[in-house]
């Protein structure tokens, strides 16, 4: 299926409209929700079409793709590293990622901190929580999240901005409401601890199939790929 610029504009408008509606249903300020265009495997030409439609937040799963697109695209883009990040690749994106979503261990956080110190920057991260307890997913457990956040908070060059989760794939998005609600409650519980160097202002949850429910339950970032760019493919960037 060929997606052209008109399709991308219509898709983005459709997604934004549904976010608007979800905000209205839940009494939220629309300004509190940001759409991340998940651009993994998509060529730069398609990303530029989304950029020309006003998109400034893009999410990548692989370090190599993020780095190449960062170098070739406008510098006002905010890049989100949303995939699983290997410790040996942190150095390549530490000064390029606006936000690292998938931090699920102290060892990874320590590597991020080490590379941030080298660059004399503060790395902004989210702690990834496997809120549904799926064996196939990365992420710390809900029970261990509080302790992990506290441990990471002691690292001087990292700022914990909130939490991230990847909910189960479901046909009926309502089935994921319980998980989004649980992540929101976990963020409230952590926030109440008033941990130094920790914000809980960001909840990254919800994808193409369930982002409206996620918004209703408190998401501040929703990660939409197929809903904007169509089915993924694997052409070179």
């Amino acid at each position: 299926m060929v997606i052209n610029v008109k399709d991308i504009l219509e898709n983005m408008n459709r997604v934004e409209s549904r976010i608007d509606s979800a905000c209205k249903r839940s009494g939220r300020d629309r300004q509190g929700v940001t759409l991340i265009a998940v651009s993994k495997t998509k060529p730069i030409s398609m990303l530029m079409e989304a950029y020309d439609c006003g998109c400034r937040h893009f999410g990548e799963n692989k370090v190599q793709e993020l780095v190449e697109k960062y170098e070739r695209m406008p510098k006002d883009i905010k890049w989100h590293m949303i995939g699983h990040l290997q410790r040996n690749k942190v150095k390549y994106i530490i000064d390029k990622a606006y936000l690292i979503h998938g931090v699920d261990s102290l060892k990874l956080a320590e590597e991020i901190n080490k590379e941030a110190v080298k660059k004399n920057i503060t790395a902004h991260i989210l702690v990834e929580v496997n809120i549904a307890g799926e064996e196939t997913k990365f992420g710390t457990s809900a029970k261990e999240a509080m302790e992990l956040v506290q441990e990471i908070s002691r690292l001087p060059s990292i700022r914990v901005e909130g939490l991230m989760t990847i909910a189960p794939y479901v046909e009926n998005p309502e089935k994921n409401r319980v998980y989004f609600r649980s992540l929101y409650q976990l963020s409230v519980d952590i926030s109440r601890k008033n941990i130094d160097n920790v914000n809980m202002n960001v909840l990254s949850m919800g994808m193409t199939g369930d982002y409206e429910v996620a918004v209703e339950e408190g998401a501040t970032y929703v990660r939409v790929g197929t809903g904007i760019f169509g089915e993924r493919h694997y052409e070179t960037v």
Side-chain angles (χ1 to χ4, degrees):
M1 179 174 61
V2 177
I3 298 288
N4 60 39
V5 65
K6 182 180 178 183
D7 293 325
I8 289 178
L9 176 59
E10 289 178 352
N11 290 345
M12 287 190 63
N13 286 341
R14 184 181 303 111
V15 172
E16 291 282 4
S17 176
R18 289 177 176 175
I19 292 173
D20 288 346
S21 296
C23 286
K24 289 175 182 176
R25 287 194 299 271
S26 53
R28 296 187 60 195
D29 182 352
R30 176 63 183 84
Q31 297 301 311
V33 183
T34 298
L35 172 62
I36 300 173
V38 177
S39 45
K40 60 185 180 182
T41 79
K42 301 302 181 183
I44 284 178
S45 59
M46 289 184 73
L47 273 67
M48 283 306 303
E49 289 170 0
Y51 179 89
D52 290 341
C53 293
C55 184
R56 292 298 180 270
H57 290 262
F58 289 86
E60 288 291 333
N61 273 45
K62 295 186 181 300
V63 166
Q64 183 178 349
E65 274 196 79
L66 189 152
V67 170
E68 183 167 357
K69 290 171 180 176
Y70 175 92
E71 298 295 345
R72 294 172 60 186
M73 292 187 67
K75 291 299 178 277
D76 61 337
I77 290 173
K78 292 179 169 63
W79 292 99
H80 296 256
M81 183 63 203
I82 61 175
H84 181 67
L85 179 60
Q86 296 174 306
R87 297 201 300 274
N88 64 347
K89 294 186 177 180
V90 169
K91 60 187 175 184
Y92 300 114
I93 57 98
I94 190 64
D95 57 346
K96 298 175 177 65
Y98 171 75
L99 188 63
I100 300 173
H101 288 230
V103 180
D104 60 358
S105 72
L106 181 59
K107 286 186 177 181
L108 175 56
E110 288 172 339
E111 186 66 26
I112 292 170
N113 182 73
K114 183 180 79 173
E115 295 298 332
V117 169
K118 288 181 183 178
K119 295 283 188 179
N120 194 30
I121 61 176
T122 298
H124 299 271
I125 70 143
L126 304 179
V127 169
E128 181 175 1
V129 182
N130 185 351
I131 199 69
E134 292 182 281
E135 292 183 3
T136 57
K137 297 275 179 70
F138 291 105
T140 186
S141 69
K143 290 183 178 179
E144 296 173 345
M146 180 81 73
E147 181 180 355
L148 179 58
V149 168
Q150 290 174 325
E151 290 173 335
I152 294 174
S153 74
R154 303 184 184 106
L155 301 173
S157 291
I158 283 184
R159 180 76 175 176
V160 180
E161 301 292 351
L163 305 176
M164 175 264 210
T165 198
I166 300 174
Y169 174 78
V170 292
E171 293 291 339
N172 179 3
E174 281 296 328
K175 291 184 176 180
N176 279 338
R177 188 179 295 276
V178 62
Y179 301 122
F180 297 143
R181 191 169 291 171
S182 294
L183 192 74
Y184 175 82
Q185 186 57 53
L186 179 59
S187 75
V188 170
D189 293 342
I190 294 173
S191 181
R192 286 173 177 162
K193 294 289 184 180
N194 293 315
I195 305 168
D196 288 343
N197 210 30
V198 172
N199 270 329
M200 280 291 128
N201 294 336
V202 175
L203 275 183
S204 173
M205 58 187 193
M207 299 191 291
T208 293
D210 55 18
Y211 65 87
E212 292 170 83
V213 173
V215 169
E216 290 171 359
E217 296 299 334
T220 63
Y221 282 120
V222 292
R223 311 179 303 268
V224 179
T226 303
I228 295 173
F229 297 111
E231 297 296 329
R232 76 177 66 176
H233 55 77
Y234 295 92
E235 293 179 7
T236 59
V237 296

